[in-house]
Amino acid sequence: MTELKEDFSLKETSPKIGGGRVSGRERLTSSFDLVEQMEFLYVRIVRARDLQVNQVTGTCDPYVEVKIGNYKGTTIPFEKKLNPEWNQVFAFTKERLQAISVELLVKDKMIVNGDFIGKIKIDMPDIPKRVPPDSPLAPEWKRLEAKDGSRARGELMFAIWFGTQADEAFSSAWHSDTAVVSGENIMNCRSKVYVSPKLWYLRVNVIEAQDLVPKQRNRNPEVFIKAIFGNVVLKTTVSAKKTVNPTWNEDLMFVAAEPFDDPLILTVEDKLGDNKEECLGRLVLPLSKAGKRFLPLPAAAIWYNLEKNIANGEEKKDVRFASRICLRFSLDGGYHVFDEATNYSSDLRSTMKQLWPPVIGVLELGILSAKELLPMKSRDGRGTTDAYCVAKYANKWVRTRTVVDSFDPKWNEQYTWEVYDPYTVITLVVFDNCHLHPGGAKDSRIGKVRIRLSTLETDRIYTHSYPLVALLPNGVKKMGEVQLAVRFTCSSFVNLLQTYSQPLLPKMHYINPLSVFQIDSLRHQATHLLSSRLSRAEPPLRREVVEYLLDVGSQMWSMRRGKANLARLMRFLNGFGVAWIWFDQVRRWKNPMTTIFVHVFYVIMVLFPQMILATFFFILFGVVIMKFKRRPRHPPHMDIKLSFADKAHPDELDEEFDTFPSSKQGHILTTRYDRLRSIAARMVTLNGDLDSQLERLQSLIDWRDPRATAMFSIFCLMAAVVFYIVPLWILLLFAGPFVMRHPRFRIDIPALPQNFLRRLPSKAESLL
């Protein structure tokens, strides 16, 4: 069991966001009021003209070197060009600058270490300051100077100013802390916003086929349909009608993303034996032919002619014949395409925009900084971390810039999302960038944070430091902390309250529901599709980041999660247990005053039944009001105690991190299998006991025990007469005091109904 020394608690912070003016429920109008202001020196190198030709080479390959003290950045060089155009922006963190001037050196790459062409020197006090929403600073032409200060040939167009991270040039600029990154990998350091492709459910309802022509005419064909879309292959069952006119009426469902690049390929296969099939026909359907629907009405069934490829020597030719297939082919836009775990989904809208609910507010997230991060890799003989954050809500992904070689990185970037449903979760992950140098491996996980919007008060700014927790094979570990500022602003309080009465999912999920197996299969397709599409962006949002953010593999077996979920259930049932213990003490007269009060209260409720529901809801209201003072003041965070991460046995963690299928062999695999069998045996026994109790109730009217059923029928007749003659309130008036009678009038043995029920027969004796 892991010995925990780290502090895994959530800490409230007081950052100087909005210039130090934001606290509590104060509203600001700035678009960067949830982050601390960071000042940068921006230098935009636009172009040069009429540069000096090198006397040795007879040409010029110019580039510009921006030099501020020990910091230096260079533009890309141009070959044999006297009027180059770069349009590159450099950003230098102001707090690290100690130089009194900025030098712009124009050099020729053809000469080793760069041949000097000219320079421009700007003093720091002369640099203007720009504050958005001011228009961008206009670049100016300036004459180059020689080393001795005389005029040199050529001019350089540039702009230089002091600004903040709110500047438009911030996201695309070269940052001074990335100077150690090679030019080819500099794109992997930049912040970026990604949008998920629009996902659709592609439904193929295979109905029947006609006039198939199998090669072997002397046997009944065993025909099934194979559907191929991208890398996904689905098959129908073998038709029960083993003729040349088979029928199926089965649905095959895929996930498709716009733009629709791949066609749907259907093949009619005849199963000749194990792993042996014969293609009887082929159909290629581009998705442009699929109708987009959002109503539960089925698409029209259409007959398609099948094509078959016939080999003729080395040549192949397409031969069209009379075999046909009937199917329905549609893109279902009335569903929400699941790409996240349903318990913490960030979006519940349907694919069709016409079915979206109104916007209820705006979510703003300020990613401030991290601190005390652990070294994730080794560089130059020492530990280092190049951290960046990725946050996802709905179909919008945001990625911060990578802060190179820092255990306490500061990002101070702010992003916004439109909110359609408060029962959604924003997820943020922190990764170590391993692609800043050639030959990089997968980016390493540092930690994850989830925040459910329904737990946030509207128009309040939450500033907290969240622990970054990693579950490793050797136990749980704190990887650092990330500081966030979150605000959920409600634009329409009426629409916000109305969402609580609306269905959680689009109506198609209830009118034409998908099976659990279909949802799991389609979610696997959706996550694979998103990983492929986002990894093709620039910079790429890599597969390991997307899968970690979407919780791919979270449904695998875990003894730790099983114990945690059982503890959650027992924690809920504990309330009923406490209530029963209290009632049992009332029955046993442990506190005579309490028991007498309960008797009086019970008599009043029986005599005035119209007060029962009113009293119940009034008590419930009082309980809610009493708990208001103890309400949670902070958003929820990763709880290691709730997750049983602090109590997990090393062997359980090793099993949780094992691959599927298992990579273990021998004694370890046997031990885990036997342990799983013992757990399953207990569940089977528990299930059997529950079945037996329910079957005993059923046997009351089934005459399996004729004497017991006869006695029960007589009891029902007598009860009907008594309840018809005697008013119900009189029966209840006597029943309550009888149940709560003093212990001296009670014998502690099982009651008569319990004894009678236990003697009823079940079907357990009929099991093998």
Side-chain angles (χ1 to χ4, degrees):
M1 197 173 296
T2 308
E3 293 291 336
L4 298 178
K5 298 181 181 180
E6 298 97 339
D7 183 9
F8 291 89
S9 62
L10 182 71
K11 302 172 185 176
E12 189 169 5
T13 59
S14 301
K16 295 181 180 180
I17 57 178
R21 303 189 307 274
V22 179
S23 62
R25 296 179 177 274
E26 183 179 350
R27 292 190 184 185
L28 291 182
T29 58
S30 170
S31 59
F32 279 80
D33 62 341
L34 295 186
V35 294
E36 296 179 336
Q37 190 177 85
M38 298 178 65
E39 293 191 10
F40 294 88
L41 172 61
Y42 290 98
V43 181
R44 181 189 297 276
I45 305 298
V46 182
R47 64 169 71 96
R49 66 185 178 188
D50 196 24
L51 296 178
Q52 178 69 41
V53 176
N54 189 281
Q55 300 298 329
V56 178
T57 61
T59 183
C60 180
D61 295 345
Y63 68 94
V64 178
E65 181 180 290
V66 182
K67 188 176 180 181
I68 308 177
N70 295 327
Y71 293 98
K72 181 173 64 175
T74 58
T75 66
I76 58 174
F78 283 97
E79 293 185 2
K80 301 178 181 180
K81 200 167 186 179
L82 300 180
N83 299 298
E85 183 172 344
W86 294 282
N87 200 25
Q88 286 184 246
V89 181
F90 299 84
F92 299 85
T93 305
K94 185 179 178 181
E95 63 181 12
R96 298 182 182 178
L97 299 180
Q98 297 179 350
I100 60 174
S101 63
V102 179
E103 287 186 313
L104 307 181
L105 307 176
V106 183
K107 296 184 177 182
D108 184 2
K109 189 186 176 185
M110 289 294 293
I111 305 301
V112 179
N113 296 326
D115 186 27
F116 180 82
I117 298 178
K119 70 175 183 178
I120 296 176
K121 187 176 180 181
I122 307 101
D123 294 330
M124 286 288 186
D126 297 334
I127 299 176
K129 185 176 182 179
R130 175 182 176 250
V131 179
D134 292 350
S135 299
L137 214 64
E140 298 179 355
W141 287 103
K142 286 198 175 182
R143 173 74 66 176
L144 297 178
E145 296 180 357
K147 292 182 179 180
D148 57 2
S150 61
R151 293 182 60 179
R153 181 177 177 181
E155 292 180 300
L156 180 67
M157 176 184 280
F158 69 96
I160 185 169
W161 71 95
F162 283 110
T164 66
Q165 71 268 36
D167 203 290
E168 300 88 356
F170 175 80
S171 60
S172 60
W174 176 93
H175 289 265
S176 56
D177 58 357
T178 62
V180 297
V181 182
S182 59
E184 297 178 355
N185 298 306
I186 196 69
M187 286 295 296
N188 293 323
C189 296
R190 293 177 177 171
S191 59
K192 192 66 67 173
V193 176
Y194 307 84
V195 178
S196 300
K198 194 173 184 178
L199 301 180
W200 295 77
Y201 280 154
L202 173 62
R203 184 189 298 269
V204 184
N205 177 232
V206 184
I207 303 174
E208 60 178 321
Q210 286 184 354
D211 303 328
L212 300 179
V213 184
K215 289 184 179 180
Q216 300 179 10
R217 305 295 181 90
N218 56 352
R219 57 179 289 275
N220 294 326
E222 298 182 8
V223 184
F224 66 92
I225 302 296
K226 180 193 294 185
I228 304 173
F229 182 70
N231 297 323
V232 182
V233 179
L234 299 179
K235 299 178 181 179
T236 66
T237 58
V238 175
S239 174
K241 190 176 179 182
K242 294 180 172 56
T243 65
V244 295
N245 300 311
T247 59
W248 296 276
N249 197 24
E250 295 183 25
D251 281 344
L252 301 176
M253 295 193 68
F254 301 87
V255 176
E258 293 184 356
F260 304 125
D261 300 327
D262 300 320
L264 176 68
I265 302 175
L266 298 174
T267 59
V268 183
E269 305 283 343
D270 183 10
K271 187 175 182 180
L272 302 178
D274 294 338
N275 299 324
K276 190 176 181 182
E277 302 165 356
E278 177 194 358
C279 180
L280 304 182
R282 183 171 179 269
L283 176 64
V284 179
L285 289 173
L287 265 60
S288 58
K289 292 185 178 180
K292 296 180 180 179
R293 70 186 187 105
F294 58 90
L295 297 175
L297 299 176
I302 302 177
W303 285 95
Y304 296 92
N305 291 331
L306 296 174
E307 297 179 354
K308 186 173 182 181
N309 291 330
I310 301 178
N312 184 11
E314 296 182 353
E315 298 181 356
K316 292 184 179 180
K317 57 181 181 179
D318 291 340
V319 179
R320 188 178 298 274
F321 57 98
S323 296
R324 302 192 302 166
I325 185 172
C326 181
L327 52 87
R328 294 185 175 94
F329 178 48
S330 63
L331 290 165
D332 290 356
Y335 291 97
H336 166 67
V337 179
F338 290 99
D339 57 351
E340 301 166 290
T342 54
N343 291 331
Y344 25 83
S345 179
S346 65
D347 190 12
L348 300 170
R349 293 171 294 168
S350 62
T351 301
M352 297 287 285
K353 194 171 183 178
Q354 295 87 331
L355 302 179
W356 288 4
V359 176
I360 63 171
V362 174
L363 172 66
E364 298 168 275
L365 174 66
I367 306 174
L368 302 177
S369 61
K371 65 178 182 178
E372 300 177 0
L373 298 182
L374 299 182
M376 301 301 296
K377 57 180 176 287
S378 178
R379 184 187 300 148
D380 298 331
R382 62 182 181 87
T384 183
T385 298
D386 307 320
Y388 68 94
C389 298
V390 177
K392 179 189 184 297
Y393 184 78
N395 64 338
K396 180 180 175 181
W397 309 60
V398 298
R399 169 178 174 158
T400 66
R401 64 190 180 95
T402 299
V403 178
V404 180
D405 193 15
S406 176
F407 299 132
D408 300 299
K410 292 184 179 180
W411 295 287
N412 285 303
E413 299 182 25
Q414 183 171 338
Y415 301 95
T416 61
W417 290 267
E418 289 184 336
V419 178
Y420 293 84
D421 195 316
Y423 185 75
T424 46
V425 175
I426 181 172
T427 305
L428 178 138
V429 296
V430 184
F431 268 78
D432 175 49
N433 198 332
C434 297
H435 292 83
L436 302 185
H437 301 278
K442 288 185 177 181
D443 290 354
S444 303
R445 303 174 181 177
I446 297 180
K448 178 187 294 187
V449 175
R450 296 194 196 101
I451 303 175
R452 187 174 294 278
L453 270 61
S454 58
T455 62
L456 304 179
E457 298 179 20
T458 56
D459 301 322
R460 175 185 171 185
I461 298 176
Y462 292 84
T463 54
H464 292 87
S465 183
Y466 294 80
L468 296 172
V469 184
L471 188 63
L472 306 174
N474 57 353
V476 64
K477 191 172 186 179
K478 183 178 178 180
M479 308 297 290
E481 297 180 2
V482 61
Q483 188 175 356
L484 305 176
V486 184
R487 177 171 57 197
F488 173 37
T489 306
C490 177
S491 59
S492 174
F493 193 69
V494 175
N495 289 340
L496 174 61
L497 297 181
Q498 188 178 5
T499 57
Y500 285 87
S501 64
Q502 299 299 318
L504 189 63
L505 297 172
K507 294 181 180 179
M508 280 289 287
H509 286 272
Y510 307 99
I511 299 174
N512 191 9
L514 304 173
S515 66
V516 176
F517 173 78
Q518 283 179 312
I519 291 177
D520 289 343
S521 174
L522 292 170
R523 183 185 171 223
H524 176 74
Q525 294 183 40
T527 54
H528 179 77
L529 197 56
L530 285 178
S531 300
S532 301
R533 289 290 182 93
L534 293 175
S535 63
R536 299 205 300 258
E538 187 63 39
L541 199 57
R542 303 191 181 277
R543 180 177 297 273
E544 59 268 21
V545 179
V546 176
E547 291 182 349
Y548 182 52
L549 217 151
L550 296 179
D551 283 285
V552 175
S554 61
Q555 298 178 342
M556 299 296 292
W557 163 255
S558 169
M559 177 73 75
R560 175 190 59 83
R561 278 200 297 265
K563 291 181 179 179
N565 289 333
L566 180 61
R568 291 166 58 198
L569 177 62
M570 297 307 297
R571 192 176 293 109
F572 172 77
L573 298 178
N574 184 55
F576 296 97
V578 171
W580 171 252
I581 292 173
W582 176 83
F583 181 70
D584 187 63
Q585 292 177 349
V586 170
R587 290 175 62 241
R588 297 179 182 275
W589 291 70
K590 296 290 184 180
N591 188 335
M593 294 299 297
T594 302
T595 304
I596 293 173
F597 173 78
V598 171
H599 278 76
V600 174
F601 181 78
Y602 180 80
V603 171
I604 294 176
M605 290 297 102
V606 171
L607 295 179
F608 303 97
Q610 67 274 15
M611 296 179 59
I612 294 176
L613 289 178
T615 304
F616 170 76
F617 285 110
F618 184 78
I619 293 175
L620 202 59
F621 171 77
V623 171
V624 173
I625 295 300
M626 289 176 61
K627 288 193 173 185
F628 178 76
K629 290 185 178 181
R630 293 178 293 170
R631 69 190 186 278
R633 303 301 177 96
H634 310 303
H637 65 287
M638 298 291 181
D639 192 336
I640 62 168
K641 293 184 178 180
L642 181 66
S643 307
F644 271 53
D646 58 334
K647 301 178 181 179
H649 192 274
D651 185 59
E652 295 176 359
L653 292 176
D654 185 59
E655 180 183 17
E656 184 172 342
F657 282 91
D658 193 9
T659 58
F660 186 84
S662 176
S663 60
K664 306 295 182 180
Q665 295 180 351
H667 175 70
I668 296 178
L669 196 60
T670 303
T671 303
R672 292 176 181 174
Y673 176 66
D674 291 340
R675 181 174 61 193
L676 193 59
R677 288 180 63 190
S678 65
I679 296 174
R682 296 174 201 164
M683 296 180 63
V684 169
T685 302
L686 180 63
N687 189 26
D689 293 341
L690 179 61
D691 293 340
S692 296
Q693 298 298 334
L694 297 177
E695 288 171 353
R696 289 189 177 109
L697 291 175
Q698 182 69 25
S699 66
L700 286 172
I701 59 176
D702 283 349
W703 293 93
R704 297 191 68 227
D705 184 341
R707 289 170 294 278
T709 304
M711 295 170 64
F712 179 71
S713 62
I714 295 173
F715 168 78
C716 291
L717 179 62
M718 295 174 61
V721 173
V722 171
F723 277 97
Y724 181 76
I725 296 175
V726 182
L728 179 62
W729 67 271
I730 295 179
L731 296 175
L732 294 176
L733 195 62
F734 283 96
F738 176 77
V739 172
M740 295 183 289
R741 65 191 183 277
H742 198 275
R744 70 177 59 183
F745 302 114
R746 185 186 301 116
I747 302 176
D748 289 333
I749 60 174
L752 187 149
Q754 188 176 357
N755 297 331
F756 184 79
L757 184 63
R758 285 181 176 177
R759 283 179 167 78
L760 295 176
S762 67
K763 296 181 181 180
E765 63 273 8
S766 301
L767 294 175
L768 291 176

